[in-house]
Amino acid sequence: MSEEPEKRNDSGQEEPQSAHKILVEADTLTPEPQAIQFAARMAGVLHAKLAGCFVENQALMDLVALPFASEVSFGGTVKPFERGRLEREWEAQAKQAETAFAAAASAAGLAWSFEVRRGKPIFSMLEAAAQEDVVVLNPGARLTPVGELARAVRAATADIHADVLLTGRGARGSATRRVTDTVPRGTLVALDDMTSRGEACCAMAQDLADRAGMNFIPLRTGASSLADVVDLVRQLAPSLVIVNASSAIFSQDESVTKLSIAAGCPVFLLGSERKRPQAGSGR
């Protein structure tokens, strides 16, 4: 369990609980560019603010408690792994991450907040998520094992009923796509698995495409296998794929991340069923 998080925001006031968030883990000193680019274009469309979360890794704190724990520098110098120094380093990193995060959000004209938690990376961030928030993850830019990332996606969508945006770029675009190419534009593909949740997913996706100025293509997947769906998505070369997270093609936990990596474009997973949007209504 993570400690009570420190929360800060651009106004100094408590944010209303009803506001949806695009939640980004600030695990480096520079906010992930795909997440910021997505937020800049979609925050207004999704009626969401940008929220950063810096996670202090509890496993390192547990390691500090071991009497034999040592730190080895690149130059080969060995010194004790000290709790105080680790906490000071975390504090400095969190402040730098918040400064960079705030600058990126402000430049994009986005409302933002930032908090510091201690616990297990990714999973501690999920404690800050609520239903219909968007949790941004990049499968191709972290050392987290694919299986653990897949379990985090399942926890976010099935337990919290949050949405997940997987921004990782696959082989198709890894050499040629620019960071800005991961921003939703052009064509939005929604996967319709022929269920009521799939229908609601397509309705929400079409409304989102209309408001974002994107072309919309519904793709019926029915009894299709994951491999068939990936082939169809590749042929359409979309800028964004939206899918119901409980679709049968995701019966295996790692199927979600496999689709994201193979499709070569961001994949937006809906963690809860939406009602059919009314004309002119927001999310």
Side-chain angles (χ1 to χ4, degrees):
M1 182 67 65
S2 63
E3 295 184 352
E4 185 67 23
E6 302 174 23
K7 296 186 179 180
R8 297 183 286 274
N9 58 47
D10 53 340
S11 64
Q13 303 297 320
E14 191 71 23
E15 294 288 346
Q17 294 299 312
S18 59
H20 293 313
K21 303 183 294 292
I22 298 176
L23 189 62
V24 185
E25 184 178 12
D27 58 351
T28 62
L29 300 185
T30 303
E32 187 173 315
Q34 292 94 336
I36 298 298
Q37 290 285 348
F38 176 84
R41 285 191 173 271
M42 303 303 288
V45 177
L46 297 174
H47 305 295
K49 69 172 185 178
L50 189 63
C53 183
F54 183 88
V55 178
E56 300 173 342
N57 193 337
Q58 181 61 47
L60 290 178
M61 188 58 70
D62 294 340
L63 181 61
V64 167
L66 299 177
F68 54 81
S70 299
E71 226 178 320
V72 182
S73 69
F74 286 111
T77 303
V78 179
K79 57 184 177 182
F81 196 14
E82 299 175 349
R83 179 188 179 103
R85 184 166 66 250
L86 178 61
E87 290 181 330
R88 288 192 296 274
E89 289 176 357
W90 274 340
E91 182 179 6
Q93 289 171 9
K95 286 181 178 178
Q96 290 181 59
E98 181 183 5
T99 298
F101 198 86
S106 298
L110 301 175
W112 65 275
S113 65
F114 191 90
E115 63 180 281
V116 178
R117 290 176 174 266
R118 181 176 297 176
K120 188 174 183 180
I122 299 182
F123 292 93
S124 290
M125 179 181 68
L126 294 183
E127 295 177 7
Q131 184 170 339
E132 294 191 29
D133 282 349
V134 180
V135 179
V136 181
L137 302 173
N138 187 345
R142 58 169 62 251
L143 299 177
T144 305
V146 172
E148 186 163 321
L149 183 64
R151 287 191 290 275
V153 171
R154 180 71 68 183
T157 57
D159 298 339
I160 302 172
H161 299 298
D163 301 330
V164 172
L165 176 77
L166 296 176
T167 63
R169 290 170 288 171
R172 176 173 66 84
S174 58
T176 59
R177 285 193 169 212
R178 301 165 299 173
V179 167
T180 52
D181 291 330
T182 65
V183 179
R185 66 179 69 188
T187 300
L188 186 159
V189 169
L191 304 187
D192 182 358
D193 59 5
M194 312 295 289
T195 65
S196 61
R197 288 177 65 97
E199 181 181 1
C201 170
C202 280
M204 180 272 185
Q206 182 165 19
D207 178 67
L208 180 62
D210 291 343
R211 286 185 281 143
M214 302 174 70
N215 299 321
F216 175 68
I217 299 178
L219 186 62
R220 290 191 169 185
T221 59
S224 302
S225 67
L226 178 64
D228 291 338
V229 170
V230 167
D231 285 342
L232 289 170
V233 169
R234 281 176 169 166
Q235 290 174 34
L236 294 170
S239 300
L240 178 67
V241 174
I242 295 185
V243 61
N244 164 30
S246 64
S247 176
I249 64 170
F250 300 138
S251 57
Q252 301 296 318
D253 277 353
E254 295 185 14
S255 296
V256 170
T257 47
K258 286 179 180 177
L259 173 62
S260 172
I261 293 170
C265 69
V267 175
F268 192 27
L269 298 120
L270 300 185
S272 58
E273 184 173 358
R274 276 19 177 227
K275 294 179 180 179
R276 181 178 292 276
Q278 301 297 318
S281 67
R283 186 179 177 187

